[in-house]
Amino acid sequence: MVAAVAVAWLLLWAAACAQREQDFYDFKVVNIRGKLVSLEKYRGTVSLVVNVASQCGFTDQNYRDLQQLQRDLGPRHFNVLAFPCNQFGQQEPDSNKEIESFVRSTYSVSFPMFSKVAVTGTGAHPAFKYLIEISGKEPTWNFWKYLVAPDGKVIGAWDPTVSVEEIRPHITALVRKLILRNREDL
């Protein structure tokens, strides 16, 4: 009897150890049109996760640079994942529909947009809690950027004073690595 219990505990322990560690792509989010989306659909690609705002001093340059980055590298190997947030200076006050209309008409945004979320504090979306916990860096303003590898691991985090162009070499290196790995797997 004792041996059977010991074996059962050993099997449970082994199963717990075999479980994959949680990563960014394990979360579910709501897109800007209200549909539940699993971030799993982005696994295998490089992602730049950004909390965006429509009425911020950083808005124009960031949206232009993010869209250019998406055009240059995505969507097969890379995506900007944009999460509107109204926590900093109340600079994203509009509805999801108004936000989508603004970014599509003003910046021709083609990257995935998600519903407005909280990115800090107790009400922060679990995906952002994960990004903060893993990177050790919490957003303090709009256009905070997190670079996520194809396996869902957080590679880096930058505040809004760091431009998209300064981050581009890190993203490009990850995308190149992904393309080379995919070619080797063929």
Side-chain angles (χ1 to χ4, degrees):
M1 177 72 172
V2 173
V5 171
V7 168
W9 276 107
L10 189 58
L11 289 172
L12 286 172
W13 178 77
C17 290
Q19 285 183 335
R20 186 175 54 79
E21 192 175 310
Q22 185 178 42
D23 64 55
F24 178 73
Y25 298 125
D26 289 331
F27 293 95
K28 289 184 176 17
V29 294
V30 176
N31 73 13
I32 200 141
R33 295 186 178 171
K35 181 181 175 195
L36 186 64
V37 175
S38 172
L39 291 174
E40 187 67 34
K41 76 184 272 182
Y42 301 104
R43 185 177 301 283
T45 65
V46 176
S47 298
L48 186 66
V49 182
V50 186
N51 66 305
V52 297
S54 300
Q55 299 175 12
C56 177
F58 293 111
T59 300
D60 189 63
Q61 192 62 55
N62 272 275
Y63 267 118
R64 289 182 192 287
D65 290 347
L66 291 168
Q67 179 54 34
Q68 188 60 52
L69 193 62
Q70 182 69 35
R71 251 188 242 115
D72 293 347
L73 301 176
R76 189 167 170 208
H77 304 292
F78 169 79
N79 278 293
V80 171
L81 303 179
F83 290 83
C85 176
N86 196 39
Q87 285 184 289
F88 308 110
Q90 305 299 300
Q91 295 179 345
E92 190 66 282
D94 293 334
S95 70
N96 286 327
K97 187 175 183 174
E98 292 165 319
I99 294 165
E100 182 181 28
S101 176
F102 168 72
V103 300
R104 304 265 191 246
S105 65
T106 307
Y107 301 105
S108 301
V109 163
S110 62
F111 49 79
M113 296 282 300
F114 299 94
S115 289
K116 198 165 19 173
V117 296
V119 299
T120 65
T122 55
H125 189 282
F128 273 89
K129 287 182 180 180
Y130 171 81
L131 293 169
I132 292 165
E133 180 184 331
I134 298 302
S135 71
K137 297 183 179 183
E138 183 170 5
T140 55
W141 201 250
N142 306 306
F143 294 97
W144 200 272
K145 302 159 200 79
Y146 293 92
L147 183 57
V148 179
D151 65 358
K153 302 297 182 219
V154 180
I155 301 299
W158 297 269
D159 69 56
T161 64
V162 179
S163 73
V164 171
E165 287 309 305
E166 290 175 78
I167 300 167
R168 183 185 274 266
H170 300 284
I171 299 167
T172 304
L174 268 179
V175 169
R176 271 194 203 113
K177 192 175 176 181
L178 173 63
I179 291 169
L180 289 173
R181 192 184 79 220
N182 287 347
R183 282 184 185 157
E184 288 172 2
D185 290 346
L186 291 178

